[in-house]
């Protein structure tokens, strides 16, 4: 594991412990993250490869850049 991941895991574990969050709440958040991942992957598979560079507006990120952006934010 990378140093950043270890720090994030430690922070989150301390955060949940410090505020006495229940296992049910943690499981709920994990399920929401899994659902978001599944939904994002389904959308990514539906988009034709030729449209991954599509930008609705020139100053915005393309579809592919948005997917990379989401991935970076999760990690």
């Amino acid at each position: 594991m990378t140093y950043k991941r270890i720090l994030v895991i430690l922070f989150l574990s301390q955060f949940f412990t410090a505020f006495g969050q229940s296992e049910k709440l943690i499981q709920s958040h994990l399920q929401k993250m899994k659902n978001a991942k599944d939904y994002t992957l389904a959308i990514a598979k539906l988009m034709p490869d030729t449209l991954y560079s599509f930008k609705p507006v020139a100053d915005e990120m393309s579809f592919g850049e948005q997917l990379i952006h989401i991935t970076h934010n999760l990690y």
Side-chain angles (χ1 to χ4, degrees):
M1 283 190 152
T2 66
Y3 184 73
K4 284 184 179 181
R5 285 186 185 173
I6 292 171
L7 285 177
V8 168
I9 290 169
L10 287 174
F11 173 78
L12 290 175
S13 67
Q14 291 300 317
F15 177 80
F16 284 118
T17 301
F19 290 96
Q21 299 296 324
S22 69
E23 181 67 24
K24 185 176 179 181
L25 180 63
I26 294 169
Q27 290 304 317
S28 172
H29 286 299
L30 290 173
Q31 185 62 46
K32 288 178 185 178
M33 290 296 291
K34 182 189 178 309
N35 291 345
K37 179 188 89 171
D38 292 345
Y39 176 76
T40 302
L41 289 173
I43 295 298
K45 289 176 184 176
L46 288 172
M47 179 65 88
D49 293 346
T50 57
L51 294 178
Y52 265 61
S53 60
F54 171 74
K55 291 184 178 189
V57 178
D59 292 338
E60 299 294 327
M61 287 187 267
S62 68
F63 181 80
E65 290 168 334
Q66 283 284 0
L67 290 177
I68 292 169
H69 177 74
I70 291 168
T71 304
H72 286 174
N73 284 335
L74 289 174
Y75 288 103

